[in-house]
Amino acid sequence: EAFRKVLELNPALVPARLNLARVELAARRPVAALETLLVAVKQAPENAEVWLLVGEAQHMRGSPQRAAGSYRQALQLDPNLA
């Protein structure tokens, strides 16, 4: 809930958006995580961590092919994630 409040005050704060997505993923709510992450993708398309979390959410949601594409994008942006 704290991350939601932070985002209400500053919607452009990508780290808060990523933390909210992590909370959603930990609670096994991949759809909610993806909703949060789609905004993060628009805000920070060059952020590898955004794509990594998108992949995790897609995988959890049962979309392994989409997840693989997101993981590839994350690795392309930051090869050190491997």
Side-chain angles (χ1 to χ4, degrees):
E1 206 52 44
F3 295 119
R4 289 185 202 285
K5 289 183 182 183
V6 168
L7 289 169
E8 285 176 16
L9 296 172
N10 187 353
L13 198 59
V14 174
R17 199 165 295 284
L18 295 180
N19 285 328
L20 176 58
R22 284 186 190 94
V23 169
E24 297 292 3
L25 287 171
R28 310 290 298 164
R29 293 190 295 257
V31 173
L34 279 171
E35 289 173 3
T36 298
L37 290 164
L38 290 179
V39 176
V41 165
K42 290 177 185 174
Q43 292 174 322
E46 301 299 316
N47 185 320
E49 191 175 2
V50 169
W51 288 103
L52 182 65
L53 290 173
V54 168
E56 288 180 27
Q58 290 168 325
H59 182 78
M60 188 181 291
R61 191 171 181 212
S63 300
Q65 291 179 337
R66 287 184 178 189
S70 296
Y71 291 142
R72 278 192 294 277
Q73 180 69 21
L75 286 172
Q76 185 176 12
L77 293 168
D78 184 358
N80 293 321
L81 289 175

